[in-house]
Amino acid sequence: MDTKKSSWKKFLRLDFATKDLDGQAQKLTKTTLRHTHMFISSRLEHLAGVKRHVLGWIFLVILLITISMVQWLSFRELYAHNAPARGGSYSEGVLGPLETLNPIFARSSAEKSAARLMFASLYNYDATGHIKGDLAESVTVNEAETEYTVKLRRNLKWSDGAPLDARDVVFTVNLLKDARTQSSITGWQSINVKQVDERTVQFILPAPYAPFMHALTFPVLPQHSLSEVNPAELREHGYGKSPVTSGPFAMRILQNANADGSKKVLHLVANSQYHHGAPKLDRFQLYVYPTRDEITKGLKTSEIMATPELSYMAQSDQIRHMYASRSYAINDGVYALFNTQSEVVSSRKVRQALVQSINTQALREKFAFAKKPLHGPIFDDQVDGQLAGRLPYDTEAAKKLLDEEGWKVVGNQRKKGEQVLQLSFVTLKGSDFETIARELVKVWQETLHITVDLRVVDPNDASQNVLQSVLRPRGFDVLLYELVLGGDADVFAYWHSSQANQGGLNFANYNSAVADDALAAGRTKQSAKQRVSKYQAFTKHWQSDVPALALYQVQLDYIHLRSVSALDKSMRLVYPTDRFADVIYWTVRRESVYKTP
């Protein structure tokens, strides 16, 4: 019984406690609702004011952030800058064909470009246009100037890890000397070469030859890869498809990009064994096109990043908007060569008249691709001295010279009796050459009343065979042609009378005993002062004899994406492939780098 009473009392206490808890919960709910009304609901009418305060704070925060960003950007250059970064891939479009990767057979722009990227030489032209050691560390010349002893750098390697040494140099020169090789690099037959030790090579000349250092720019081949190959079979050997290399880039793969193989892509990778240090780029692709029109398409479709093969001003607005360009003069000159043995222009007065009727300065101003002046057979900056200038532009003097030679104006022609003064003018196919040729024809016809028969020949058309039909037989009165003048003032090959034959390059058939003596002496003197005097004498006679009209120095337009970092604007190019002189520093990427104090 007592137990039951006790349980009942506990139950009553629990019931009262529950009721008390319910009452407290109801009071709490009422209190909460009252406070909600006081602090929220009762202040809804002030929401507009609150909103203004909030927006003000937000605006202030945004303003502070903006000021901080502007300040950071303004002063960022004090402690950080964008610098070229390693990595990435560069693609350049070049003109083919690409039939071999063996550099001693390189002829086309594509083959020469591949050779410069993949192969090292004893010497090369640097970014200033001067000859500089590549594989070579030093050279000494004996007193008679007939022996050149070249010392190679230490620890040179081929891309396969094999050592590169004096044996490779001797092996290469002997290939160039061997008539069976049929290399595109000629002139080595009379040069003897021998290995002195592992790092030393000696070249022995039959007579002093001042420009010999410039001949040491030939690419070196690996003896360990080719020593067993017959020189007559070297061109067709598999090495020409997958070579071991020594330049800044190594071979990866050569890919045909179309069915007939006229378009190719040469894939190269950075050569970690390169003696000047690995390039910043990881990869380099040469896109080889059969025509310049195809290169233009490659630019339009962004297939390539750059090309040295086109005139920038001749491109469409679309390409000029997508790409930037820099122009670089190269050591090639464009001339109107007069065949001094032809019946018409064998007369010096006729040649003088043709020269004096052309305002070359106005011509260069008219055509952007011809803006670099060319005054004679040698570039002014190739010798340290004043060279003779060309005949002055004077159309009246030109007309008088023709009159004195008996060529009188009859109607709209010049005649000597019944004979019409008529020129056979040949130019090579190409927009620049054809444009200049037509300009010359216009002046000679309209101003001097000379009849001109202009013929345009395509050097890439085998059926026209320019070498056999035009150059060797000198089948022209006037030839518009580009002469490769190179890094030295020696122009013996173009103007010495010994070269006025079918196998020579004296296309003007120029023959002057005085000029011959000066040219021969100029190439045998090491002394710069002696050489200058000889070339001054030669130039003076050349300008007087007028075997050619010097028109302009060739320029290379390097068209490239604005985002890449390639050729420096201050570069001086001797040959087009010298654009790769500092290729190890080219980049396609940039990154922010903090400056060191």
Side-chain angles (χ1 to χ4, degrees):
M1 184 70 178
D2 292 335
T3 304
K4 290 182 178 180
K5 287 182 180 180
S6 175
S7 298
W8 178 249
K9 288 180 181 179
K10 287 181 181 180
F11 174 76
L12 289 177
R13 285 199 300 271
L14 181 60
D15 182 58
F16 284 128
T18 301
K19 288 180 180 180
D20 185 56
L21 186 61
D22 288 340
Q24 290 180 20
Q26 290 177 8
K27 284 179 68 177
L28 182 60
T29 300
K30 290 178 181 179
T31 302
T32 302
L33 290 173
R34 187 169 62 253
H35 280 80
T36 300
H37 178 73
M38 288 173 60
F39 292 100
I40 299 179
S41 302
S42 65
R43 297 191 179 185
L44 286 175
E45 64 271 16
H46 301 297
L47 184 59
V50 172
K51 183 177 180 180
R52 284 195 299 271
H53 287 296
V54 171
L55 291 176
W57 278 104
I58 292 174
F59 175 77
L60 182 60
V61 170
I62 292 174
L63 180 62
L64 290 173
I65 292 173
T66 302
I67 291 172
S68 299
M69 287 295 295
V70 170
Q71 189 176 34
W72 180 78
L73 290 172
S74 299
F75 292 99
R76 179 174 177 269
E77 63 180 17
L78 296 177
Y79 54 86
H81 65 100
N82 283 327
R86 289 188 174 275
S89 179
Y90 193 93
S91 57
E92 185 181 278
V94 289
L95 195 61
L98 181 60
E99 297 176 346
T100 180
L101 296 176
N102 189 321
I104 69 170
F105 299 110
R107 294 186 183 278
S108 70
S109 175
E111 290 169 348
K112 291 177 181 178
S113 296
R116 185 66 189 266
L117 286 168
M118 292 195 294
F119 288 89
S121 303
L122 291 176
Y123 285 84
N124 258 326
Y125 298 100
D126 64 13
T128 68
H130 294 98
I131 199 83
K132 184 178 180 180
D134 186 7
L135 295 171
E137 180 180 87
S138 64
V139 62
T140 57
V141 184
N142 71 344
E143 188 175 350
E145 300 177 2
T146 57
E147 294 181 2
Y148 288 71
T149 303
V150 177
K151 178 74 74 175
L152 300 182
R153 296 175 186 270
R154 298 180 185 275
N155 302 319
L156 296 172
K157 293 183 181 297
W158 292 98
S159 58
D160 62 357
L164 190 164
D165 56 33
R167 290 170 294 183
D168 297 301
V169 178
V170 173
F171 171 74
T172 304
V173 173
N174 285 331
L175 282 177
L176 300 180
K177 287 166 59 69
D178 195 326
R180 295 174 297 170
T181 306
Q182 295 186 335
S183 169
S184 59
I185 303 171
T186 60
W188 283 90
Q189 283 71 19
S190 62
I191 309 296
N192 290 323
V193 60
K194 67 178 183 180
Q195 178 183 348
V196 177
D197 58 40
E198 192 174 75
R199 291 178 52 217
T200 310
V201 181
Q202 189 174 75
F203 299 91
I204 304 168
L205 284 60
Y209 178 56
F212 182 70
M213 288 295 298
H214 298 269
L216 297 179
T217 56
F218 64 88
V220 176
L221 294 177
Q223 183 192 39
H224 72 281
S225 297
L226 299 171
S227 59
E228 301 300 320
V229 180
N230 186 321
E233 300 171 355
L234 183 58
R235 183 178 178 85
E236 304 304 323
H237 190 265
Y239 180 83
K241 300 297 181 184
S242 182
V244 174
T245 66
S246 56
F249 290 91
M251 173 76 180
R252 180 171 171 264
I253 189 173
L254 178 61
Q255 172 188 10
N256 282 330
N258 59 8
D260 63 6
S262 61
K263 178 183 175 182
K264 294 181 170 70
V265 184
L266 176 61
H267 297 268
L268 305 174
V269 294
N271 180 10
S272 60
Q273 306 285 355
Y274 187 47
H275 48 280
H276 290 305
K280 289 181 178 293
L281 294 168
D282 291 331
R283 297 170 297 279
F284 200 113
Q285 286 95 39
L286 277 181
Y287 280 74
V288 181
Y289 297 93
T291 66
R292 287 184 170 83
D293 288 342
E294 289 296 315
I295 297 178
T296 300
K297 290 180 183 178
L299 290 175
K300 286 182 178 178
T301 59
S302 298
E303 184 174 54
I304 53 177
M305 294 179 173
T307 182
E309 305 286 8
L310 305 174
S311 171
Y312 185 64
M313 294 309 297
Q315 302 309 305
S316 65
D317 291 341
Q318 175 191 354
I319 289 179
R320 292 205 300 269
H321 177 73
M322 294 171 61
Y323 297 86
S325 178
R326 281 181 177 157
S327 296
Y328 303 86
I330 61 175
N331 283 11
D332 290 7
V334 174
Y335 296 83
L337 301 172
F338 303 134
N339 183 356
T340 58
Q341 291 185 2
S342 75
E343 181 181 357
V344 178
V345 293
S346 60
S347 165
R348 178 159 55 175
K349 286 188 176 181
V350 171
R351 300 196 301 269
Q352 289 175 336
L354 293 174
V355 168
Q356 289 198 268
S357 66
I358 301 299
N359 187 340
T360 55
Q361 181 177 344
L363 183 144
R364 291 193 302 270
E365 291 173 354
K366 184 175 182 179
F367 302 111
F369 61 81
K371 65 183 179 182
K372 185 73 173 175
L374 177 66
H375 302 300
I378 299 171
F379 295 127
D380 293 343
D381 58 1
Q382 285 186 318
V383 295
D384 188 15
Q386 187 69 34
L387 298 175
R390 54 158 282 174
L391 291 168
Y393 165 62
D394 189 336
T395 56
E396 293 306 314
K399 294 174 184 177
K400 185 177 179 181
L401 286 167
L402 293 176
D403 289 337
E404 291 173 355
E405 280 293 281
W407 294 106
K408 305 296 184 181
V409 178
V410 180
N412 199 34
Q413 295 178 316
R414 281 194 179 266
K415 290 184 175 182
K416 184 184 292 185
E418 295 300 317
Q419 183 183 2
V420 175
L421 179 54
Q422 183 170 343
L423 297 176
S424 169
F425 190 175
V426 176
T427 185
L428 302 185
K429 184 177 178 61
S431 59
D432 294 353
F433 275 18
E434 291 179 64
T435 299
I436 292 293
R438 291 192 174 92
E439 190 72 14
L440 299 181
V441 169
K442 180 181 178 181
V443 173
W444 290 338
Q445 286 184 334
E446 296 181 1
T447 303
L448 299 183
H449 302 289
I450 297 175
T451 302
V452 183
D453 176 26
L454 178 62
R455 181 159 65 104
V456 179
V457 295
D458 187 352
N460 297 317
D461 185 349
S463 66
Q464 297 190 38
N465 202 332
V466 176
L467 182 63
Q468 296 295 336
S469 64
V470 177
L471 299 180
R472 284 185 174 174
R474 312 299 196 253
F476 55 84
D477 294 319
V478 183
L479 171 67
L480 190 67
Y481 202 69
E482 182 175 329
L483 300 182
V484 179
L485 302 184
D488 188 81
D490 179 37
V491 287
F492 183 97
Y494 298 128
W495 305 112
H496 195 274
S497 63
S498 65
Q499 307 302 303
N501 53 61
Q502 287 200 355
L505 299 178
N506 183 352
F507 299 122
N509 288 321
Y510 181 47
N511 189 338
S512 165
V514 176
D516 282 356
D517 288 344
L519 284 171
R523 63 181 359 206
T524 62
K525 305 294 183 183
Q526 278 284 354
S527 165
K529 185 176 181 180
Q530 289 178 312
R531 295 192 77 197
V532 167
S533 67
K534 297 302 179 182
Y535 287 126
Q536 285 175 327
F538 160 69
T539 304
K540 179 180 178 180
H541 284 279
W542 189 93
Q543 297 288 15
S544 175
D545 292 336
V546 284
L549 165 62
L551 290 166
Y552 60 93
Q553 185 176 351
V554 177
Q555 71 177 27
L556 178 150
D557 288 353
Y558 197 74
I559 302 172
H560 59 89
L561 287 177
R562 301 174 192 278
S563 58
V564 305
S565 177
L567 280 72
D568 188 86
K569 63 182 180 181
S570 63
M571 283 192 76
R572 295 189 62 187
L573 309 182
V574 175
Y575 300 105
T577 53
D578 291 332
R579 67 186 183 274
F580 298 130
D582 60 356
V583 70
I584 62 173
Y585 304 113
W586 290 16
T587 60
V588 294
R589 298 175 57 244
R590 300 187 76 83
E591 63 183 8
S592 183
V593 177
Y594 287 102
K595 296 179 180 179
T596 55

